[in-house]
């Protein structure tokens, strides 16, 4: 058997309220990049479904920037490490690694010749450093600030200049190399979140939590004006990005807008209204050739439309938090992947075009632990918010009337024909019919962990922490315990009947998969003992085939979900918030 990684459906940026998100742009204009967890994600700007993930940082990555040459990327993490790695090879070989200071890296800038790097952040003894990319030797000192430095940029034309912005409400202007502090800029009344030079080097701007954006002369640092007069935005400004010709810039704000500015007149040409919800706050932006991008607090990436400022050209959706559950469903001849994450978000991925979507309305408010699609084309999900939801996959809209409140937290849900569902909760097993609770098993002498209803609706199998699988007879609206059980090799973690109902597969904490033959009184058909610790789940491709997930399918985390599209196509999810599609050959 051989396997090939066919597609990577990448995670969104990992966002934090009130914290700017830096987007990096490929100098050639083909890609953009951002960070999530320990990963740096590179996406094609014309087709964001094309993505690559760099996973070699041992700690959470906070920022990544292309070298002006385009051949290398410098990425920084929360420990203060800077890794410089190759962009031309699939392996992204490490060129150099440095630790300029101890603490979170918040921003990175290169000189135009790709020879010097400036980085700033939350250092202990110092908040920034400038060094040669190939030796790590210092080429100046970033001083003049008393608090965390949030942003840094270097003029891309000679003579070089450097600007920084800090939580001390000030900017600092440097000449070099070697870079030396010249003076502070104290025009902001609150944190300075972002500083950026124009591509031609003639100007730079500073943006702050006070809603102000100031323009300065790029060579002397002399103040020119404030964009928009008294205030550029009603909320804090988290990011700015210049147009390639240096005549305009865009700004992203917590007031849920992005503004397009004419620098010559210091007026806003367009205001992009991104929504009314708190998750519509704009925390990052990037002007890349003809593309204007912004990032919402939700992690959604918006392609802005100058001719229609109230509706983006497209919005890239997905997950920004770890994915916990997965299922697939065919609708209208197309396969859809449904995945649920730690924050309660459910994403819909169309496998044909790689487009992400979501359900409208208010859904789960906490981790989605399990999901399945029933014969009425409803996505049945259970969550740590103590609910089971039934959501139409055709209407794609949450409904309060299709929510069933559980007495205790549900951990697992399964479905069968005729509107049947089984929810396994802490200390309880709940039998549902037509979206209503009809029977509850409680006061159990074991802790139920997972459950499965036979496709024919005749039996409900419940796996316990004691390693037993109890088989309950479905009789009308009740579950009857007839004292029948089978043994797994350890505490049960997951289970499912095959589609034809001929087999029951049970996984346990010892990473053993036991397959029982239903017609033969649940006799053990086979066992699978995975040999490596990276094993996550086993799934039946047919009645006799067993397969382990490809080794290191998701390098940073174990596989949290696995589902078959067809006998040669497998999808996997992980806590890295990405979905991967594999092609298998036998």
């Amino acid at each position: 058997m051989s396997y090939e990684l066919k597609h990577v459906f990448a995670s969104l940026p990992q966002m934090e309220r009130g914290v700017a998100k830096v987007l990096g742009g490929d100098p050639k204009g083909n890609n953009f990049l951002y960070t999530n967890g320990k990963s740096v994600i590179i996406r094609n700007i014309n087709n964001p479904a094309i993505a690559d993930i760099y996973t070699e940082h041992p700690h959470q990555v906070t920022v990544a920037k292309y070298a002006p040459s385009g051949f290398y990327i410098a990425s920084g993490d929360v420990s203060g490490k800077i890794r410089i790695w190759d962009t031309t090879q699939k392996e992204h070989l490490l060129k150099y690694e440095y630790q300029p200071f101890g603490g979170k890296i918040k921003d990175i800038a290169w000189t135009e010749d790709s020879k010097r790097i400036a980085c700033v952040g939350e250092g202990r003894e110092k908040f920034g450093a400038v060094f040669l990319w190939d030796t790590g030797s210092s080429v100046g000192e970033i001083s003049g600030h008393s608090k965390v430095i949030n942003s840094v940029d270097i003029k891309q034309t000679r003579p070089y200049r450097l600007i920084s912005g800090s939580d001390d409400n000030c900017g600092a202007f440097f000449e070099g190399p070697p870079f030396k502090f010249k003076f502070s800029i104290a025009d902001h009344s609150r944190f300075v979140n972002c500083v950026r030079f124009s591509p031609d080097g003639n100007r730079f701007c500073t943006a702050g939590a006070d809603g102000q954006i100031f323009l300065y002369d790029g060579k002397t640092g002399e103040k020119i004006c404030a964009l928009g007069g008294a205030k550029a935005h009603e909320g804090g400004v988290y990011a700015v990005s210049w147009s390639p010709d240096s005549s305009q810039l865009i700004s992203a704000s917590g007031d849920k807008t992005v503004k397009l500015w004419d620098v010559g007149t210091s007026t806003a040409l367009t205001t992009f209204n991104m929504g009314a919800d708190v998750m519509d706050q704009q925390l990052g932006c990037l002007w890349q050739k003809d593309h204007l991008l912004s990032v919402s607090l939700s992690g959604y990436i918006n392609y802005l439309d100058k001719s229609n400022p109230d509706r983006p050209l497209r919005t890239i959706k997905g997950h920004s938090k770890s994915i916990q559950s997965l299922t697939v469903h065919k609708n209208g001849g197309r396969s859809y992947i449904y995945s649920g994450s730690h924050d309660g978000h459910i994403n819909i991925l169309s496998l044909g075009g790689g487009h992400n979507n979501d359900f409208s309305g208010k859904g789960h408010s906490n981790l989605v632990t399990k999901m399945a699609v029933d014969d009425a084309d409803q996505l049945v999900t259970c969550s740590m918010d103590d609910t089971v939801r039934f959501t139409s996959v055709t209407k794609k809209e949450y409904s309060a009337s299709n929510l069933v409140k559980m007495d205790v937290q549900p951990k697992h849900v399964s479905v069968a024909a005729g509107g049947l569902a089984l929810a396994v909760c802490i200390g309880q097993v709940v039998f549902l019919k037509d979206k209503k609770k009809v029977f509850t098993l409680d006061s159990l002498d074991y802790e139920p962990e997972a459950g499965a209803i036979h496709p024919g609706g005749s039996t409900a199998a419940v796996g316990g922490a004691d390693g037993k699988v109890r088989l309950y007879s479905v009789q009308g609206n009740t579950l009857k315990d007839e004292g029948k059980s089978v043994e797994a090799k350890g505490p049960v973690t997951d289970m499912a009947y095959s589609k034809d109902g001929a087999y029951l597969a049970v996984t346990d904490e010892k990473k053993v998969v036991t397959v029982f033959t239903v017609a033969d009184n649940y006799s053990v058909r086979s066992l699978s003992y995975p040999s490596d610790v990276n094993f996550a789940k086993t799934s039946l491709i047919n009645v006799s085939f067993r397969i382990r997930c490809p080794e290191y399918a998701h390098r940073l985390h174990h596989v949290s979900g696995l589902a078959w599209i067809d006998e040669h196509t497998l999808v996997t999810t992980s806590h890295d918030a990405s979905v991967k599609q594999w092609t298998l050959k036998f």
Side-chain angles (χ1 to χ4, degrees):
M1 184 200 76
S2 63
Y3 59 85
E4 175 188 1
L5 179 59
K6 196 71 174 176
H7 288 294
V8 175
F9 303 105
S11 65
L12 296 174
Q14 188 170 0
M15 308 300 289
E16 184 180 346
R17 188 171 181 178
V19 178
K21 191 66 181 181
V22 177
L23 299 181
D26 169 15
K28 297 178 182 178
N30 299 324
N31 301 320
F32 66 101
L33 71 164
Y34 53 83
T35 63
N36 184 309
K38 297 178 182 177
S39 302
V40 178
I41 293 93
I42 305 170
R43 299 187 85 153
N44 183 284
I45 201 161
N46 292 311
N47 183 6
I50 300 173
D52 191 10
I53 304 177
Y54 178 77
T55 58
E56 298 303 315
H57 273 272
H59 303 283
Q60 180 182 341
V61 196
T62 48
V63 62
K65 288 282 192 71
Y66 273 95
S69 67
F71 296 139
Y72 295 97
I73 289 172
S75 51
D77 63 30
V78 295
S79 75
K81 279 210 169 51
I82 296 275
R83 293 176 68 89
I84 303 168
W85 40 280
D86 173 78
T87 64
T88 61
Q89 304 296 319
K90 184 179 179 181
E91 295 80 11
H92 299 308
L93 298 176
L94 179 68
K95 188 71 173 177
Y96 303 107
E97 182 179 74
Y98 303 111
Q99 179 131 20
F101 53 83
K104 182 191 293 186
I105 306 288
K106 298 200 73 174
D107 202 5
I108 293 171
W110 294 76
T111 52
E112 48 80 30
D113 57 5
S114 300
K115 292 182 178 179
R116 303 167 188 84
I117 295 174
C119 61
V120 298
E122 299 180 2
R124 297 180 181 91
E125 297 178 357
K126 59 180 182 178
F127 304 116
V130 196
F131 55 91
L132 293 173
W133 85 294
D134 55 351
T135 65
S137 301
S138 174
V139 285
E141 184 179 350
I142 297 182
S143 57
H145 290 294
S146 60
K147 292 183 179 179
V148 171
I149 302 178
N150 297 313
S151 185
V152 67
D153 203 19
I154 297 175
K155 183 168 169 278
Q156 293 297 291
T157 56
R158 294 176 184 267
Y160 289 145
R161 299 289 186 265
L162 184 149
I163 182 71
S164 58
S166 167
D167 273 6
D168 62 11
N169 302 350
C170 293
F173 188 77
F174 301 79
E175 293 180 352
F179 290 97
K180 295 181 180 178
F181 172 79
K182 295 299 290 184
F183 55 82
S184 289
I185 298 171
D187 294 315
H188 288 280
S189 60
R190 296 186 64 192
F191 299 163
V192 180
N193 291 322
C194 185
V195 296
R196 291 292 181 259
F197 277 96
S198 60
D200 62 12
N202 291 334
R203 297 179 179 88
F204 69 84
C205 65
T206 64
D210 54 5
Q212 296 271 52
I213 302 174
F214 294 105
L215 281 182
Y216 303 86
D217 182 273
K219 186 177 179 180
T220 66
E222 181 182 351
K223 183 179 175 181
I224 299 173
C225 67
L227 291 186
K231 226 175 190 184
H233 284 272
E234 291 303 313
V237 185
Y238 291 99
V240 294
S241 186
W242 289 83
S243 64
D245 66 2
S246 301
S247 67
Q248 298 177 334
L249 61 82
I250 54 174
S251 57
S253 171
D255 66 7
K256 309 177 189 71
T257 69
V258 175
K259 290 190 178 183
L260 170 62
W261 299 91
D262 178 78
V263 175
T265 61
S266 71
T267 58
L269 300 177
T270 307
T271 298
F272 302 92
N273 297 297
M274 307 308 297
D277 190 81
V278 66
M279 301 306 286
D280 295 318
Q281 292 182 3
Q282 302 300 297
L283 301 183
C285 60
L286 177 69
W287 194 318
Q288 184 83 323
K289 282 192 174 178
D290 296 329
H291 298 285
L292 278 64
L293 307 185
S294 74
V295 183
S296 306
L297 177 56
S298 63
Y300 289 177
I301 302 168
N302 312 293
Y303 283 61
L304 306 178
D305 186 355
K306 293 181 186 178
S307 62
N308 187 3
D310 294 327
R311 185 180 178 87
L313 287 167
R314 67 187 302 181
T315 299
I316 308 304
K317 300 181 179 181
H319 290 289
S320 59
K321 302 289 178 63
S322 61
I323 300 176
Q324 305 285 333
S325 52
L326 168 73
T327 193
V328 298
H329 178 62
K330 281 194 175 181
N331 190 2
R334 175 172 288 183
S335 294
Y336 293 87
I337 300 167
Y338 297 89
S339 50
S341 56
H342 191 273
D343 56 358
H345 177 68
I346 294 175
N347 184 67
I348 309 166
L349 174 61
S350 171
L351 200 56
H355 300 299
N356 291 284
N357 206 343
D358 55 10
F359 296 104
S360 62
K362 189 175 181 180
H364 288 295
S365 60
N366 208 328
L367 187 153
V368 182
T369 53
K370 195 70 177 175
M371 55 174 59
V373 178
D374 65 14
D375 59 349
D377 287 341
Q378 296 178 116
L379 182 68
V380 184
T381 55
C382 66
S383 165
M384 289 177 65
D385 63 8
D386 297 350
T387 65
V388 173
R389 281 185 173 273
F390 297 80
T391 309
S392 169
V393 300
T394 53
K395 293 181 179 178
K396 297 183 175 65
E397 183 179 1
Y398 292 114
S399 170
S401 62
N402 292 332
L403 179 148
V404 182
K405 181 73 175 174
M406 298 288 113
D407 297 327
V408 289
Q409 192 178 95
K411 298 185 281 188
H412 199 279
V413 70
S414 62
V415 297
L420 302 182
L422 186 75
V424 174
C425 307
I426 296 175
Q428 280 188 351
V429 177
V430 181
F431 186 45
L432 300 100
K433 189 172 185 179
D434 297 329
K435 296 181 281 190
K436 292 182 176 60
K437 291 190 285 187
V438 295
F439 188 74
T440 299
L441 287 170
D442 50 19
S443 300
L444 302 171
D445 60 357
Y446 69 98
E447 180 57 40
E449 296 290 345
I453 303 183
H454 189 275
S458 59
T459 304
V462 180
D466 58 0
K468 286 186 178 182
V469 177
R470 290 156 177 87
L471 303 172
Y472 296 91
S473 173
V474 177
Q475 297 185 4
N477 290 340
T478 62
L479 302 179
K480 186 176 181 182
D481 185 359
E482 297 180 337
K484 194 173 182 180
S485 65
V486 293
E487 297 279 345
K489 295 298 178 181
V492 175
T493 56
D494 203 358
M495 57 197 303
Y497 280 98
S498 59
K499 287 186 178 181
D500 60 4
Y503 301 93
L504 174 67
V506 179
T507 64
D508 61 51
E509 279 189 0
K510 295 183 178 180
K511 301 183 177 71
V512 178
V513 180
T514 307
V515 180
F516 301 93
T517 303
V518 173
D520 193 19
N521 202 27
Y522 286 84
S523 64
V524 176
R525 177 182 177 86
S526 57
L527 297 174
S528 173
Y529 293 88
S531 58
D532 65 86
V533 296
N534 296 302
F535 176 86
K537 286 187 177 181
T538 296
S539 179
L540 293 179
I541 210 172
N542 54 40
V543 296
S544 61
F545 183 76
R546 300 181 308 281
I547 185 170
R548 291 204 303 268
C549 296
E551 187 177 10
Y552 303 122
H554 297 256
R555 287 187 60 86
L556 295 173
H557 301 277
H558 69 268
V559 175
S560 61
L562 179 154
W564 294 99
I565 300 297
D566 55 47
E567 63 177 6
H568 292 288
T569 307
L570 180 71
V571 291
T572 58
T573 58
S574 173
H575 292 206
D576 63 7
S578 68
V579 179
K580 294 186 177 183
Q581 177 187 342
W582 307 83
T583 299
L584 287 83
K585 298 177 182 178
F586 309 106

